[in-house]
Amino acid sequence: MATLRRLREVPRHLLVCEKSNFGHDKSRHRHLVETHYHNYRVSFLIPECGILSKELKNLVMETGPYYFVKNLPLHELITHEFINTFVKKGSCYALTYHTNIDEDNTVALLPNVVSIDLMDLSLNLDSKKYERVSWSFKEKKPLKFDFLLAWHHTGAEESRMMSYFSSYGIQERQPRVALSTASELQCPVLRSGELGGAPGAACSAPELLDWLGAVFSNAQLNNEPNNFVSTYCCPQPSTVVAKAYLCTITGFIVPEKIRLLLEQLCRYFDEPKLAPWVTLSVQGFADSPVSWRENEHGFRKGGEHLYNFVIFNNQDYWLQMAVGANDDCPP
């Protein structure tokens, strides 16, 4: 009976909402994007927009590539050559694929710090510490995993991932992009200074997040009595926009690409627009061992770790960060 009661419990979720301005010296927006390492899906919504700008569309189409490597021995990620080729020359990300974080061995490579600090090892590749770690991975516990890999680097140098891991059957993949427009979309009314909403005047940040989830799930928002799938409707007050542009990118997306998208969406209001705000939503891999930075992440009943920006036309923004189950509070 105790087990049954636990299964019926509503899992704990944490949602942190804050507001700031992109021009403020102490704004945390860049840091929060850059330290959310393993991103599975990126979505943005632009009200009163029927055609995407050339600049935004180019960024959307340039979010890849990433790579899939099958049965890669773990020790390959700590070799001299790997560290010198990828770790020292850019930001390298890796995540085991088709592993369940609460059941299986799971490995993640972060661009700066991991339990075994590759940058620390790289300072002395002849040290006893390096030899012991290498021996553990190669001989004592020779683990192999399917990996997703991504490498962000500056300069014109082509990615060497394909040639470097050619003996392991590496595949180059491009993120999947879905573009669409919604007509006569009912949108919440928001005020940048009213994070908690204002009765009869503006909706709150949590209400907006629920609405975004429904929109990107293609749910019907009219609350018709014969709709047995969803009775959800747009929070009030609301307004109807003639068109809204929706974009969803799915794959293994590095934080540097997301930061560029955020910056371009901020520039969307450089010229007068009908839209008072736009949104950028990012979801992490459910089975990533970390959420932000080195914060431990678990799956339990959901595995969610996500954030959402609401970008207002005066450069104010709302930032919403959510995790579930046993995760610590978002940073």
Side-chain angles (χ1 to χ4, degrees), residues 19-22 27-29 309-310 315-319:
K19 59 185 176 70
S20 186
N21 185 283
F22 289 108
S27 174
R28 301 197 309 148
H29 66 278
F309 280 98
V310 185
Q315 293 300 293
D316 284 349
Y317 70 84
W318 292 353
L319 172 59

Side-chain angles (χ1 to χ4, degrees), residues 151-196:
W151 184 46
H152 178 81
H153 59 99
T154 56
E157 180 186 0
E158 291 290 328
S159 176
R160 294 181 54 193
M161 283 284 182
M162 288 294 290
S163 58
Y164 187 89
F165 291 111
S166 59
S167 60
Y168 293 103
I170 186 171
Q171 301 173 13
E172 180 178 297
R173 296 184 176 181
Q174 292 292 337
R176 186 171 70 252
V177 177
L179 305 173
S180 63
T181 56
S183 300
E184 302 299 318
L185 181 66
Q186 197 172 13
C187 295
V189 172
L190 306 178
R191 289 182 178 176
S192 62
E194 299 286 353
L195 190 67

